[in-house]
Amino acid sequence: VEFGSIGALSADEIELLKAKGPVDESLKKLADRYKFAHVIGVWPAKFVQDTLNLPSATATRWIQRAREKGFLDGKSE
């Protein structure tokens, strides 16, 4: 598994990511964090929500979009 842009994001970077919405760049960063969380054994959706400071519903929608775009495979990736 490659984690691409898993590096820590500053508060400004997170706000910019959120402002851009679920564009490919944002979804790829989300997918990297989701995959990382899965590998280290934590709940991926919660990890994404917490590290990107997203509301639960937004994180869920963005994860679904990342799957639709092919950045995540399957439900437990």
Side-chain angles (χ1 to χ4, degrees):
V1 175
E2 286 191 32
F3 300 117
S5 61
I6 193 60
L9 297 174
S10 70
D12 288 342
E13 290 171 316
I14 290 171
E15 288 307 311
L16 181 59
L17 180 140
K18 290 165 51 177
K20 288 180 179 180
V23 297
D24 284 359
E25 176 187 359
S26 300
L27 295 176
K28 286 176 183 176
K29 289 183 182 194
L30 175 143
D32 289 340
R33 280 155 180 77
Y34 190 97
K35 292 175 195 176
F36 178 75
H38 182 70
V39 167
I40 64 171
V42 298
W43 186 28
K46 179 71 170 149
F47 185 80
V48 164
Q49 179 183 340
D50 291 347
T51 60
L52 298 179
N53 195 26
L54 294 170
S56 177
T58 302
T60 299
R61 281 193 310 274
W62 287 25
I63 290 166
Q64 182 59 38
R65 287 205 179 163
R67 282 194 183 104
E68 290 168 359
K69 291 272 194 169
F71 303 139
L72 287 173
D73 296 326
K75 289 191 173 186
S76 65
E77 166 89 12

